[in-house]
Each structure stands twice: as C-alpha cells, then as structure tokens.
Amino acid sequence: MRLLLATWILTRAALLLCVFKVFTVPGPDVTSDVSVIYHGWYEVLRAGSYPLADVTWQYPPAAALAVLSPALLPFLEYASAFFVLVLACDALVLLLLLYASGRPGTRAAGAWVWVAGVPLLGPTVYARYDLMVTAVAVAALLAGVRHPRVLGALAAFGALMKVWPVLLLAGTARGRATRLSWSAAAVTAGGLLLAAAAALPGAFAFLTFQRDRGLEVESLGALVFHLARQFGWEGRVELRYGSMEFAGAHVGPVSTLALGLSVLALGWLLVWRLRARTFAVHTPADAAFTAVLLFTTTSRVISPQYMVWLVGLASVCLVFRGSRMAPPACLVLVATGVTLLEFPLGFAHVVASDAEGVALLVVRNGLLLAATLSAARRLWRETVPGVRTGREGRFSRAARADTPASAP
C-alpha cells in the first residue's frame, strides 16, 4: 500500500509540474485546450448559452458541468483550478479502487493499473476533462456490483458528459439487474436532458458538429492515407472541428467505412448480449471494457485522451480476481505509453506522415486492435453457452466462482 501511494504521489506531482509548465514537454502545448478553448466555453456558458458558434463544441450537454467546474475554486485562475480538480478526480478513482479491492474475490491489481497507466499518457491526461468522465464510469461499475440503480444513474450522467459511458450498461446481468439499471439510466438521462434544454439554449448543437467530423490523422482508418502519401497521394492534413484531419481524394469513402465498422461492432455487441448467459460479478466491467475498445478502435477519431477511458475500465476489470482481461489490459497500457510518443512528442512526424510517425501509429493502433480482438474473444468464451476454452474444455472456473444467481 505504501509503495502504491508513493508511486501515485510521485507520478502525479510530475504531471502537475508539466501542466503548470515547470517542465516543458516537447511538441504541441497540450494545456491550450484548457486555457483557451475550455476557458472560452466557460465564458459563453456563464453568459447563458451553449457555444453554438463554435464547431469544436462536440459534447453532450452535461459536459458543461466539467467546463464550469473551475468556478468551484474561485481563488485560482481557470486553468489552475481545472488541473487541481482533475487531480482530485484522479485521487477519487484510486480511493474507489482501493476500497473495492478490500472485498472478497478482489485484488489490488486494478489500483496498480490506474496508478501506472494514467502517467503513461503524459500531461494530456490532466489537460482534458476525460479523466473526470472516467471517474464517473469507474464509480458506476464499482457501485453497480451491489446497487444496479446507481450504475444506471451514473452511466447516464457520464453519457451526457461524453457519450461512451452508456456502454457501461452492456454487461448487466439478465433480469432484475438489467431492469433496475436500464430504467434508472433512462429516467436520469431524461431528467438531465430536460434540465439542460430548459437551462440554456443550444443543448443539442453538439449532434450536428459531431456528425460532420472527418477522418482524424491518428485513427485506424487514417493509416490508409499515411501509407498512401508514401506513394504519391496528394491529400492534405487540415485543422477541422478541433483536430487534424485528412482531406482529399477517397477520404470520404474511408471515413464512411470506419462508420460501417462501428456499426459492425455494435452488431457484434448486440449478438453477444442476446447469446450471453453466464454473468459473473466482473462481467459488467469486462463487457464495458470490450465495448469501449470496439468503438475506440473503429472510430474515425482516436484522440490521445481516449486512452484514459480504457485505462480506467481496465483498472476496474483487474479489481476482480475472476476477470480474464489481464492480457488486453496490458496491451492497453503499452498502447498508452506509445500514445505519449505519438502525441505530443512525435505529433509533427504523424502530421507529416514520415517513417517515424507512421511507425508509431502502426504500433499504437495495432496494439489497440489486438487488445480489442483479445477482449472480445475472452468475453464471448466466458459468457456464451457452448463455447469451450482450449485449456479447460469448459467454462472458465473463475467466471463461475464469483457468478451470482441470474435469470436463465
């Protein structure tokens, strides 16, 4: 425990020194999103409207709470207050994981994944509000072990901050747990949406801005054009909708193909949900981790901060001794470290599509793809009847050891 806490303190002190610019990290200034973009949104929101004129506002209405949160610390400048609040959320996640690791059938491995994984992303992790959303998701999954309604309410709240936490509901056990969590999510989402629409105009403007996004240079699909540039493709990279995107011949069809892959991922998830029968205590976390991997890997955009979602969900998975997600979780940790090399350290190489930039993306996205396939295979084998493991010739013993009674 002392080593864990000491590691957290040292690594988080290093992150704070970076975002407060005591140390300068090479590459783009990752803190400008907070000091310029978030602060600008903060002023617009305080004036009584969502940022309707800013196409970079691509977030659900509850994201306004994260942007406005520095007002809780009025004695600090906006960016400083934001970094302190992200640090507090980071500490909260650690405390939740440590508390959960004291229950029967759990372990401290999840806390170690969080402590080690977050700093692998570098200062970007403290310069975006994604860690706040991840804290909500971690709290939802851990609370959901005993309180399905809390899982549903927190998943809905997280989804109205950044959409992806809706996937936390994918792995709830059939029967009572699903009814309670899904109904709580629907009621919470409905109430929050009504409140947001009544409070400020433009609560749903993000839908148009998100729909119009293109193929971001760090995505899996973008590798097609990074490689094509080596053979004379004359496309270009442009700053659009707040990120660097490819523009030129054939970008549209590849972007559409990426959307198609996301639809296929949703289809696989629905088929799994219909066929799954063995729901262990760790299944909601394993399913959420797998689902977010599926949609992250197939997305038109894989921003660096997305990795903190996966680190948080991997941490929850590894709290449970019965979870079989350790191999894909390790792949995610390595991919997170490579992401730091790609952004901000090597981002100029990525934009230029030179050998170093392409190599970093191939490795990072390859690791994510491998983690996705591994997690999906493990989830399917453990939960779908009639699927046997090669090592045991039957369902995983670990899955049944901590499996509560569930509806047939």
Side-chain angles (χ1 to χ4, degrees):
M1 177 69 75
R2 290 182 180 178
L3 178 60
L4 182 72
L5 294 176
T7 304
W8 185 87
I9 291 170
L10 290 173
T11 54
R12 275 44 180 189
L15 289 175
L16 287 176
L17 290 172
C18 290
V19 294
F20 282 110
K21 299 184 179 179
V22 177
F23 298 132
T24 302
V25 176
D29 179 10
V30 300
T31 65
S32 63
D33 273 35
V34 177
S35 59
V36 178
I37 298 176
Y38 287 12
H39 195 191
W41 292 341
Y42 172 83
E43 297 297 342
V44 173
L45 288 164
R46 289 188 65 190
S49 172
Y50 283 92
L52 300 176
D54 188 347
V55 296
T56 62
W57 176 260
Q58 300 160 11
Y59 309 111
L65 297 177
V67 174
L68 291 169
S69 63
L72 296 172
L73 303 175
F75 49 87
L76 291 176
E77 177 266 335
Y78 181 88
S80 299
F82 184 88
F83 300 144
V84 170
L85 289 171
V86 174
L87 174 68
C89 291
D90 186 352
L92 175 62
V93 173
L94 178 61
L95 291 175
L96 290 172
L97 293 168
L98 288 174
Y99 177 77
S101 67
R103 298 172 181 172
T106 60
R107 55 189 174 181
W112 272 110
V113 169
W114 180 255
V115 169
V118 167
L120 288 176
L121 197 57
T124 304
V125 76
Y126 272 21
R128 305 290 187 273
Y129 81 90
D130 294 80
L131 195 147
M132 296 178 175
V133 183
T134 302
V136 174
V138 169
L141 287 171
L142 293 176
V145 173
R146 297 179 180 177
H147 306 288
R149 285 193 181 95
V150 178
L151 166 61
L154 289 176
F157 176 58
L160 291 180
M161 292 181 75
K162 207 157 190 183
V163 181
W164 67 266
V166 72
L167 298 171
L168 304 181
L169 300 172
T172 54
R174 290 171 174 269
R176 181 175 179 272
T178 291
R179 289 194 300 273
L180 292 177
S181 59
W182 290 23
S183 60
V187 170
T188 302
L192 289 174
L193 286 171
L194 286 174
L200 299 173
F204 304 103
F206 76 98
L207 293 172
T208 299
F209 299 152
Q210 186 64 241
R211 180 198 63 197
D212 293 339
R213 293 197 72 167
L215 195 67
E216 194 257 348
V217 296
E218 296 163 280
S219 64
L220 185 64
L223 282 172
V224 173
F225 298 104
H226 283 295
L227 295 174
R229 283 177 120 183
Q230 315 307 312
F231 299 96
W233 181 69
E234 296 181 354
R236 59 198 181 278
V237 174
E238 297 180 350
L239 178 61
R240 301 171 60 191
Y241 296 95
S243 64
M244 304 302 291
E245 298 181 355
F246 274 119
H250 312 300
V251 172
V254 173
S255 182
T256 301
L257 178 60
L259 287 174
L261 290 176
S262 293
V263 172
L264 288 177
L266 176 61
W268 182 92
L269 197 61
L270 291 173
V271 171
W272 168 79
R273 175 74 194 182
L274 291 172
R275 295 194 58 184
R277 292 295 182 274
T278 305
F279 288 85
V281 69
H282 59 267
T283 301
D286 289 356
F289 180 51
T290 302
V292 174
L293 270 170
L294 283 165
F295 285 99
T296 299
T297 304
T298 60
S299 174
R300 293 175 298 173
V301 180
I302 306 181
S303 296
Q305 62 268 24
Y306 291 10
M307 299 304 298
V308 74
W309 312 346
L310 298 172
V311 170
L313 296 178
S315 299
V316 179
C317 291
L318 267 62
V319 163
F320 302 104
R321 293 187 181 277
S323 175
R324 300 181 64 229
M325 292 294 164
C330 290
L331 290 172
V332 164
L333 288 179
V334 178
T336 303
V338 176
T339 299
L340 173 60
L341 299 178
E342 170 260 307
F343 183 91
L345 300 182
F347 196 59
H349 297 285
V350 172
V351 172
S353 301
D354 64 20
E356 181 178 340
V358 173
L360 286 171
L361 284 180
V362 167
V363 172
R364 196 280 301 271
N365 291 346
L367 287 166
L368 282 178
L369 181 59
T372 302
L373 296 175
S374 174
R377 178 177 178 271
R378 289 168 180 275
L379 180 66
W380 187 280
R381 281 178 172 263
E382 190 172 343
T383 58
V384 176
V387 178
R388 298 175 180 271
T389 63
R391 183 173 59 184
E392 296 178 355
R394 56 190 174 86
F395 291 123
S396 167
R397 294 173 183 169
R400 298 199 300 180
D402 62 354
T403 304
S406 60

